[in-house]
Amino acid sequence: MSVREARGAEATFDEFVNASAGSLLRTAVFLVYDRHLAEDLLQIAYERVARRWKRVAAGGNPEAYARKVLVNLAIDERKRRSRWRDTPVGSVADLERVARMPQVAGPGDGELEEALRALSAKQRAVLVLRYWCDLNEEEIAETLGISRGTVKSHTARAMTALRKRMKEGGAHGP
């Protein structure tokens, strides 16, 4: 069953989850750049959608609702993490042992990914919704609860920051 078919009011929540899990997980990964955190946020989003399933399904677009919940969770998580930095626990020997471990490159280790991580949560959310989810300005504004003008300004500022960072990275790179 496709996501489009699972959008109807007669679809069950399980059918919706099966149809939307892949695209929503990829969206979450782009929003937070951490697969495990993305999975956690998606589970929370599905929990919130499940609690309101009849109303959400009757609205005709449960994926849009789930995406809105997911984006808001990602923004809130970034704010929470900026307020509460993780403090390493253990002995100095533990920290030295971990520091000597070889770093494993992941799918998000390029210049663009670094530039995207440097953006504010809302700027990154606007770009992900626009260029990954292919939403228009009106849909992004509705998803984030902001005006179309704010969507435009976030997009412009984010693209300027990305261009600047990529240009700087290219000038200093190999």
Side-chain angles (χ1 to χ4, degrees):
M1 170 178 280
S2 71
V3 174
R4 189 173 303 249
E5 291 168 345
R7 286 182 179 157
E10 295 181 20
T12 68
F13 177 72
D14 289 340
E15 291 170 334
F16 166 70
V17 169
N18 289 333
S20 65
S23 66
L24 288 176
L25 179 58
R26 285 188 297 273
T27 299
V29 169
F30 280 125
L31 288 168
V32 297
Y33 280 96
D34 179 330
R35 171 71 184 231
H36 300 290
L37 177 57
E39 290 172 350
D40 291 345
L41 294 180
L42 182 57
Q43 289 301 317
I44 294 167
Y46 277 144
E47 176 188 337
R48 291 183 183 179
V49 170
R51 280 191 253 146
R52 296 167 184 84
W53 179 246
K54 286 185 181 183
R55 182 178 58 88
V56 170
N61 196 350
E63 184 179 11
Y65 182 82
R67 187 172 35 247
K68 181 176 185 170
V69 170
L70 190 59
V71 168
N72 288 331
L73 286 169
I75 290 169
D76 291 346
E77 179 64 22
R78 181 160 171 143
K79 287 178 187 175
R80 186 192 68 76
R81 283 183 180 234
S82 69
R83 285 190 304 264
W84 301 101
R85 298 280 180 212
D86 291 336
T87 305
V89 178
S91 69
V92 174
D94 291 335
L95 292 174
E96 288 175 0
R97 181 178 45 79
V98 170
R100 286 191 305 265
M101 293 175 66
Q103 297 297 315
V104 178
D109 289 336
E111 288 179 49
L112 179 59
E113 289 80 9
E114 282 298 317
L116 286 169
R117 280 190 199 111
L119 297 175
S120 73
K122 281 209 177 177
Q123 286 177 345
R124 186 172 45 232
V126 167
L127 291 184
V128 168
L129 292 172
R130 177 68 187 109
Y131 298 108
W132 172 253
C133 297
D134 200 28
L135 301 183
N136 63 36
E137 290 170 353
E138 189 65 37
E139 292 168 323
I140 296 168
E142 184 179 319
T143 298
L144 295 176
I146 58 179
S147 71
R148 284 182 67 191
T150 303
V151 169
K152 289 179 182 182
S153 66
H154 277 314
T155 302
R157 288 183 184 133
M159 293 303 291
T160 299
L162 284 177
R163 285 185 194 104
K164 181 180 177 187
R165 190 160 178 119
M166 294 301 291
K167 189 175 185 180
E168 289 172 357
H172 296 82

